[in-house]
Structure formats: C-alpha cells, structure tokens
Amino acid sequence: MAMKKSYKGLFYAPYLLWLALFVIAPVALIIYYSFFDIHHQFTLRNYQDFFESGTYLTMTANSVLYAFLITLISILISYPMALVISRLQHRNLWILLVILPTWINLLLKAYAFIGLLSRDGLVNSLFSFFGIPAQQMLFTDTSFILVAAYIQIPFMILPIYNSLTDISDSYLRASSDLGATKWQTLTKIIIPMTMPGIKSGIQIVFIPSLSLFMLSRLIGGNKIITLGTAVEEHFLTTMNWGMGSTIGVVLIVSMVVVMLFTSTKRKGRRA
Amino acid sequence: MSNTIIELKNVYKTFDDGFTALKDISFTLNQGEFYTLLGPSGCGKTTILQSIAGFTEVTSGEVLFDGKRINDIPANKRQLNTVFQDYALFPNMNVFQNVAFGLVVHNVNKDEIDQRVHDALKLVQLEAYANREISELSGGQQQRIAIARAIVNRPKVLLLDEPLSALDAKLRKDMQYELRELQQQLGITFLFVTHDQEEALAMSDEIFVMNKGQILQKGDPVDIYDEPINHFVADFIGESNIIPGKMIADYQVAFLGHQFECADAGMRPNEPVEVVIRPEDLVITTPQKGKIQVKVDTQLFRGDYYEILAYDDQHNEWLIHSTNATKDNAVVGLAFGPTDMHVMRYNESETKFNSRLESYED
C-alpha cells in the first residue's frame, strides 16, 4: 500500500516541478521585481507611475482596444469557417489545413506579410494591375490588426470547431422539428451550445494579443506601442526591470480578469 | 377515406452508399389512432419516421400529409412533431425554455406561451419542474419533458422514435400505459417506432411489422399475434414453436408423422407449410393423452410462469409456458386444440394472405 502511494507520487513529480519552475517562480519573480526601481531600491513608485502617467494608461487602453479588435475579427472569421468546415465531408482534413500555418514560425509569417504588403509588394502590384494607385499598407493599424487576426485565427477556430462537432445531430433535428428556421437554430441552439468553445477561443487569443510586440514592430512599424512592446523596451533597452515587471503584473491581472469573465458556469451536460 | 392524415405511396429510399433502406412502402394512417412500426434494428422503421418528419428525403414515391404532398417541404414547416430516442432536450435551456421552444420560434405571445407550457407540463405531470435544469432530471422525467415539448405545438401527428428504450423495465411498462392514455386524451395520431414487440402489442391500434425495408404484415395486435403471415413475423412477435408440415386438405394438416384437425384452409392439397403453436397454448399432460410426446430438457422459472424446453423424437425444439413445473427428463404429452395451431404458407404475399383468410373466416 505504502509502496503504491510513493509510486503514484512519482507521476505527480514532473507536473509539480513544471508548476514550480515555470509558473510559480516566474510569477513570483515578476511580482518581486515590480517593487524595485532602477537602482534596486524597494519602491511602490512603479505602480504609482503606471497609474498616474497618461502614457501607460493610454498604452493599456490601446493594447486592450487592439486585442479586443483582433479577438473580435478572429471570432467573426473563425465562427462561420468552423461552422462550414464542421459540415464538410472530409472535415478533419480541412481543419488540418487551417491548423497547418501554426507550424510555421511566427517571424517567417511576419516577414512574408512584409513582402505581401510593402509598397512594391504583391498586393500593390495587383492593385496597379487594376489601375488602383499604390497604397501604404504596411505600418498601419489596419494591417497590424489584420495580420494579428490572421495569426490568431487557428487558435480561435479549433475550440469552436471542437464544440461544434460535439453537438449531436438530434439537437438540430429537434430544433427544426419544432419549427425553427435555420437562422433560429443557429442563434438559439448552435451558438449557445458552442459558447464554451467561443469562450476558450477568447481566452487563448485575447491575452497573447495584449502583448504582440514582434508584430507591432514588424507590421505596425513601431507606431503601435502596446503593453508588449513596452515590456520589451524596459527589459532590453532602458533596463528598467522594475517598470517592465510592473507592466507584466498588470498583464497577469488582466489575464485573470478575462478568465473570470469567460469562465463557464458548469451546467453539467447529459452524457 | 376522409380522415386519412398521412399516406405513403410507393416510397423507396436508397442511401448514397447504395443501401436500399425502404422498398415500396405504402400505407395510410388515420386521425386519432395509435400506430406502431415494429421490426429489428436496421429494418427501415426509423427511416420511415424520418421521411415523414422531413429529416431525410425519399428516393422515389410520395409522402402525403392531410392529402398534400410534403416530399419537398422542410421539417420546420411540417405540422408534426417528434419525440427522439435520446430526447434531444436542449442542455442550454431549462425545462420551461425547452417546452416553450416550439412556441418561441413561432413568435407566440408571452401569455399564451406561459399558458400552453403550463398545460403541456401538467399533461405529463411535471408542472412543478418548469425551472429545473435538464441535467437535474431523471431519465423518466426527461422522457416526459420531451413529450411535453413535442405536443406543445398541437401537432396532428406525433412521431415517437423508440422513446422508451432508455428506460428501465418497470418505468417502461408504466410509460406504456401513460402514452396510450395520452394519445387517447389528445386524440391525435401517434406513430411509434420500436423493436420491442411487447410495447407494440400493448399500445397499438395497428401494427406494421417490418423487415429489410419492407412491411411484411399490418393488422391489429391480436391478428398479428394469432395469425402471423410468415416465419419471420411469427418468430419476431412473441415466442413460438414453428414446425414444418404439409397441408393435406382444408382443415387438415400433417406434421411429425401425425395428421391433425386445424382451423386453416385455402391451400393447395399437400402443400408444404409451416405450423405455429404459441408456447402458452401447449398444455402438458400424460404421454397417452398428448397429441405429441416430448422429453423435458430444461425448465426456467420466469415468475408468472415456467418456461419449459423440450425435444420430440425428431429433435425439434418445443417451448412450453406452464403455470406448473414438471420433472426434468420426463417424457410428457402435449395437448393442443385445432385453433391453437396457425398454418403459414411459404412466400405468401400480404394481399393473398388476407383474402385467403377472409375466404373462410367470418
């Protein structure tokens, strides 16, 4: 019996070790550093600065706004896509094709978009072919949001797709049998029943979108300063680790807030 | 007939993979009757239900509702409702919302919704459960809510797809009474699909026995039980002893080397036939008094009767239901009267079967 117990404990070890090293320790360190200024003196100044200076608050508002738009656009594109794919005959193949781009490095994808969107890139060549004058697309808010949404779409589609394929056909038949039109079935049955999928999609997409520093540099052309870029700036350029950590804490807190908002009240489905 | 509500005319259904699920199905359903489609799984009974409900398109033939062709009318525009095998109660809604769904999608006003949902819940004796979540209900309660949801739209026909199969034996029996009562109370047509012959016999006004995409026999429960058309129906509906024999002349049948007086007629002289004797029609007696002699092999106590398995000297198996036990390995006689036997011809069509029966029965 005792033998068995210690044996069982062995299986917990990797997870506990992971938790301690890569979750608890970093978060603790970030919180710890956030209370020190650039001269390694204990201070609450960082938080005071953050909430008093207009710059950081605007930055936060901007980050939230951009992340919100990115999330919204990915939902608007992902939901109909997932809906169509879930009805296709070889749906597993189609969903694989959607997931495929996530296997390609983010940096590579960003450079590919620079090639596509630049002044003499493919998109502008196409425009000139139809007589439309060349547009400045790179380094704009729109291109940043669209590219970010493109990167996030697979992460949004997957949970939605999974919750869609979980819906038994008999619910859709029952809805139609009771007189619901296709639209009513979508709004009253399918969307409410896939809410858990939509919520986990939001959780996966919204938080990383708050701190997309690489994309905001490469596609947004450094004009878009999000919390992510600020963290990078403080750690690598100004070496103000305290302020960087403070912003990190703010990001962690907002993550918790988003999780609370999107947590599903367990209604307990029938097996 | 003026009170025909549903009619199927020469309906065929072939699936994409080439499997033919329905072969030339034709029948009519009248208003206010309880019909059952009975057959083993895969016989096409659910496909018939789905083609009436509008979940599947028939390959050829016509589906008529109230005299109008509904082949191309989508399910949500058909004035009938379905109780599903897995109930399909929406997990994102509570009991009230589930029952109200059919009214909400038809934009019925709120007061009327409240009234009609209340009435429907009262009919299934669950009016106190309106605010419960579906997951809080037992299987039997979910079953009733599924029925309430289906009747709230006041359909002319209710389709029931094996609704009792998920319930335990006791509850299933109770629900049989309740369904029958509900059908008579509402006065609408029920089309019930099941593979359980007991359910079919207990509730139906008329049964359609199906196998391999065809309707083999239709009739009221007593007729189907007492006068099955062929081996399959006799075997599927209840338990039976089926012995090959020969029709010597009208009212004279021979099997196991003896000739017996029977109640069947209308066959060719010396035509090979099958004879059905129900286990409860066999009476155990002394070997001298019995018409045939068998040796008892096994006895099972079933509560309300003993099920006795015995063999005759030609190694035919005999199933006997008896209120009294007998001795293992004893040789006993089996007594039965002329009306206890039912003679079946090989490959007789239902039309010929019915007209032959009419020719000598009154």
Side-chain angles (χ1 to χ4, degrees):
Chain A
M1 211 43 206
M3 180 75 181
K4 239 181 183 172
K5 227 174 186 174
S6 63
Y7 192 61
K8 213 169 154 189
L10 221 61
F11 284 95
Y12 284 107
Y15 176 66
L16 291 177
L17 212 63
W18 169 274
L19 209 64
L21 283 178
F22 299 112
V23 180
I24 296 169
V27 171
L29 274 175
I30 287 176
I31 295 172
Y32 174 80
Y33 274 116
S34 71
F35 290 109
F36 287 91
D37 65 13
I38 201 156
H39 309 292
H40 308 289
Q41 297 296 308
F42 180 84
T43 176
L44 289 174
R45 194 65 216 215
N46 293 330
Y47 287 94
Q48 205 179 335
D49 280 355
F50 189 94
F51 289 105
E52 276 178 356
S53 89
T55 335
Y56 284 117
L57 288 181
T58 328
M59 207 187 290
T60 312
N62 265 336
S63 299
V64 170
L65 179 69
Y66 282 123
F68 171 76
L69 286 174
I70 292 165
T71 312
L72 186 71
I73 290 172
S74 5
I75 292 178
L76 290 180
I77 294 174
S78 301
Y79 202 93
M81 253 174 102
L83 202 59
V84 169
I85 292 174
S86 68
R87 302 281 160 93
L88 293 177
Q89 218 180 358
H90 303 288
R91 56 188 192 186
N92 287 331
L93 175 75
W94 295 108
I95 201 73
L96 184 75
L97 290 180
V98 172
I99 298 165
L100 216 60
T102 60
W103 298 350
I104 298 164
N105 187 287
L106 178 64
L107 207 56
L108 283 179
K109 283 188 278 193
Y111 277 110
F113 269 103
I114 294 176
L116 284 173
L117 300 175
S118 63
R119 270 199 95 75
D120 34 39
L122 187 68
V123 178
N124 269 332
S125 321
L126 271 175
F127 277 1
S128 69
F129 185 78
F130 291 105
I132 304 166
Q135 305 285 322
Q136 173 65 44
M137 283 172 296
L138 213 51
F139 311 139
T140 60
D141 287 6
T142 323
S143 64
F144 167 68
I145 289 169
L146 288 182
V147 172
Y150 160 80
I151 301 230
Q152 303 287 25
I153 278 171
F155 301 104
M156 184 61 92
I157 282 190
L158 212 56
I160 294 176
Y161 170 81
N162 283 336
S163 60
L164 276 170
T165 51
D166 273 353
I167 299 181
S168 148
D169 264 358
S170 64
Y171 292 122
L172 311 183
R173 281 182 177 167
S175 171
S176 163
D177 184 75
L178 291 164
T181 59
K182 285 191 169 158
W183 178 251
Q184 284 172 322
T185 303
L186 178 70
T187 54
K188 290 179 194 293
I189 307 293
I190 300 178
I191 292 180
M193 282 182 73
T194 50
M195 224 37 181
I198 298 174
K199 283 178 174 173
S200 42
I202 292 174
Q203 286 176 356
I204 300 169
V205 167
F206 186 81
I207 302 295
S209 298
L210 278 177
S211 50
L212 282 170
F213 66 90
M214 198 150 64
L215 277 187
S216 59
R217 263 193 211 294
L218 294 174
I219 307 289
N222 248 356
K223 278 192 278 181
I224 296 156
I225 308 293
T226 61
L227 290 178
T229 28
V231 171
E232 190 210 11
E233 200 77 4
H234 280 302
F235 272 93
L236 299 181
T237 317
T238 66
M239 290 296 176
N240 187 351
W241 286 28
M243 198 59 218
S245 299
T246 306
I247 301 171
V249 171
V250 170
L251 279 173
I252 291 169
V253 170
S254 52
M255 180 169 80
V256 172
V257 170
V258 171
M259 295 281 246
L260 287 178
F261 266 113
T262 53
S263 71
T264 345
K265 192 185 86 190
R266 277 263 153 250
K267 263 189 175 177
R269 243 190 259 179
R270 254 184 324 125
Chain B
M1 248 187 285
S2 61
N3 62 345
T4 296
I5 184 78
I6 282 184
E7 186 171 4
L8 264 67
K9 281 186 185 166
N10 310 103
V11 167
Y12 284 81
K13 172 72 190 181
T14 306
F15 286 104
D16 293 340
D17 60 2
F19 175 74
T20 304
L22 300 178
K23 293 170 199 150
D24 198 14
I25 299 287
S26 297
F27 61 74
T28 56
L29 306 182
N30 293 337
Q31 249 161 14
E33 305 257 324
F34 198 124
Y35 296 92
T36 300
L37 290 168
L38 174 66
S41 56
C43 73
K45 54 192 192 302
T46 299
T47 311
I48 291 184
L49 206 72
Q50 293 186 343
S51 53
I52 296 173
F55 305 138
T56 184
E57 275 176 47
V58 301
T59 312
S60 68
E62 284 193 314
V63 182
L64 303 173
F65 181 86
D66 232 352
K68 286 184 280 290
R69 186 187 146 99
I70 55 165
N71 288 41
D72 309 313
I73 294 179
N76 61 329
K77 298 273 192 291
R78 298 190 186 189
Q79 286 173 7
L80 34 84
N81 289 112
T82 309
V83 177
F84 293 85
Q85 185 170 11
D86 59 356
Y87 316 142
L89 296 171
F90 306 126
N92 55 312
M93 303 178 190
N94 67 17
V95 168
F96 181 92
Q97 292 166 322
N98 260 283
V99 178
F101 186 81
L103 302 169
V104 171
V105 296
H106 284 112
N107 298 315
V108 175
N109 72 56
K110 205 189 157 298
D111 290 342
E112 197 183 336
I113 290 180
D114 285 347
Q115 187 57 44
R116 281 168 70 173
V117 169
H118 179 260
D119 290 347
L121 287 175
K122 200 172 169 184
L123 213 53
V124 296
Q125 294 152 37
L126 285 175
E127 63 259 63
Y129 287 71
N131 294 318
R132 296 282 180 95
E133 294 298 330
I134 298 304
S135 53
E136 294 171 334
L137 302 179
S138 71
Q141 290 166 337
Q142 292 187 359
Q143 162 75 77
R144 286 155 192 258
I145 298 302
I147 294 169
R149 186 179 69 174
I151 58 175
V152 81
N153 278 347
R154 297 177 184 153
K156 289 184 176 169
V157 178
L158 190 68
L159 308 173
L160 302 105
D161 185 7
E162 307 213 18
L164 307 183
S165 58
L167 305 177
D168 60 62
K170 180 87 172 67
L171 204 53
R172 197 153 59 214
K173 281 228 163 115
D174 292 345
M175 280 309 289
Q176 289 174 13
Y177 281 103
E178 284 190 37
L179 275 178
R180 182 67 181 155
E181 212 166 283
L182 191 69
Q183 186 264 332
Q184 282 166 345
Q185 213 174 330
L186 293 168
I188 62 174
T189 307
F190 273 34
L191 181 58
F192 188 89
V193 160
T194 184
H195 60 262
D196 184 326
Q197 44 99 11
E198 226 176 276
E199 273 173 26
L201 293 173
M203 294 188 287
S204 320
D205 290 314
E206 195 165 332
I207 298 176
F208 300 88
V209 185
M210 292 190 66
N211 192 31
K212 294 181 180 162
Q214 287 176 307
I215 293 177
L216 301 177
Q217 189 174 11
K218 50 190 135 189
D220 71 53
V222 176
D223 281 351
I224 287 195
Y225 189 80
D226 286 346
E227 286 162 349
I229 185 171
N230 59 23
H231 192 112
F232 176 85
V233 177
D235 196 39
F236 194 75
I237 311 280
E239 283 170 303
S240 49
N241 298 291
I242 303 172
I243 317 104
K246 198 192 273 181
M247 203 69 190
I248 305 295
D250 282 359
Y251 308 112
Q252 289 294 322
V253 66
F255 56 90
L256 296 174
H258 303 281
Q259 196 169 324
F260 303 98
E261 191 193 334
C262 68
D264 298 81
M267 282 150 272
R268 286 179 283 116
N270 292 322
E271 184 180 331
V273 289
E274 284 179 307
V275 180
V276 188
I277 306 175
R278 296 291 183 186
E280 67 273 18
D281 291 334
L282 291 166
V283 179
I284 293 179
T285 173
T286 58
Q288 294 74 30
K289 281 187 188 164
K291 287 188 175 167
I292 51 171
Q293 287 73 42
V294 294
K295 192 175 177 205
V296 175
D297 187 63
T298 338
Q299 304 186 60
L300 298 176
F301 180 54
R302 293 286 190 193
D304 38 359
Y305 60 87
Y306 283 90
E307 188 175 282
I308 300 161
L309 196 66
Y311 290 93
D312 62 29
D313 48 16
Q314 289 180 30
H315 307 291
N316 290 306
E317 195 182 271
W318 288 84
L319 196 66
I320 307 136
H321 289 177
S322 164
T323 41
N324 300 313
T326 176
K327 283 196 186 77
D328 279 3
N329 297 317
V331 174
V332 296
L334 295 179
F336 47 87
T339 52
D340 294 332
M341 283 178 278
H342 168 68
V343 180
M344 305 182 299
R345 306 172 86 177
Y346 289 98
N347 302 317
E348 191 174 30
S349 76
E350 204 196 347
T351 343
K352 281 186 181 162
F353 172 80
N354 286 336
S355 60
R356 182 171 60 81
L357 254 57
E358 264 167 40
S359 71
Y360 67 87
E361 280 180 349
D362 32 32

